[in-house]
Amino acid sequence: MIDLYRALGLGVPALMDVAPLIARIVVGGMFFLSGFYKLFTPTQAEKMQKTMVEAGVAAPRQTARFVSVCEFVFGALLIMGLLTSLAALVLLAICAVALVTVASKSVKGASLGFRLSSYFDLPETLLMVILVWLIANGPGLWSLDFVLFLPRF
């Protein structure tokens, strides 16, 4: 019973190496696939460009293409655990800009508490938290960063 309480209160150390791997695969996979479809599916590319126009971004076609390439490349790097902090930082910036320019338009409500709750419900907010955690925690043992950059004694 005490072991169950410790696991519930203090975490499960056996999962410490698996958690960053799962986070990288899920978040990186989401960005990788999103970028892939925006780059290689004309309807998704048009939708991305339209979103940029509606957000008032300068050079919407070029910006949409640049963001799509960044999602594709840095999502792939995140999945592999290669240059994890850089990849997470770039994707964090993309999420922050999307939150401010596009997603915040869906936030409504008179009270501060309701508006804050609405921001917490947005997927960009959750993605940003996971990306910050990956930057702070590192890519984990099952990553190319660990294999390539771990000092050998």
Side-chain angles (χ1 to χ4, degrees), residues 80-117:
M80 294 182 289
L82 181 61
L83 304 174
T84 301
S85 293
L86 174 65
L89 188 62
V90 170
L91 297 174
L92 178 67
I94 290 171
C95 282
V97 171
L99 183 69
V100 170
T101 60
V102 178
S104 64
K105 293 178 182 173
S106 69
V107 173
K108 295 179 179 28
S111 72
L112 176 63
F114 186 81
R115 290 180 61 79
L116 188 59
S117 172

Side-chain angles (χ1 to χ4, degrees), residues 16-38:
M16 286 179 59
D17 297 329
V18 177
L21 175 66
I22 293 169
R24 285 193 349 260
I25 290 171
V26 171
V27 174
M30 191 233 43
F31 278 106
F32 175 79
L33 291 173
S34 174
F36 176 85
Y37 286 113
K38 290 173 189 170

Side-chain angles (χ1 to χ4, degrees), residues 37-51:
Y37 286 113
K38 290 173 189 170
L39 288 171
F40 302 112
T41 307
T43 57
Q44 291 299 318
E46 287 177 30
K47 184 177 175 184
M48 177 67 166
Q49 186 176 338
K50 182 179 177 191
T51 300

Side-chain angles (χ1 to χ4, degrees), residues 65-150:
R65 186 91 169 148
F66 175 75
V67 171
S68 300
V69 167
C70 286
E71 288 180 355
F72 182 72
V73 170
F74 290 105
L77 288 173
L78 199 64
I79 291 169
M80 294 182 289
L82 181 61
L83 304 174
T84 301
S85 293
L86 174 65
L89 188 62
V90 170
L91 297 174
L92 178 67
I94 290 171
C95 282
V97 171
L99 183 69
V100 170
T101 60
V102 178
S104 64
K105 293 178 182 173
S106 69
V107 173
K108 295 179 179 28
S111 72
L112 176 63
F114 186 81
R115 290 180 61 79
L116 188 59
S117 172
S118 295
Y119 272 107
F120 287 163
D121 287 343
L122 295 172
E124 290 84 358
T125 305
L126 179 59
L127 289 169
M128 289 170 57
V129 169
I130 295 169
L131 291 166
V132 167
W133 177 75
L134 282 170
I135 292 168
N137 186 65
L141 291 177
W142 296 335
S143 67
L144 289 177
D145 285 341
F146 185 82
V147 171
L148 296 174
F149 303 121
L150 184 71

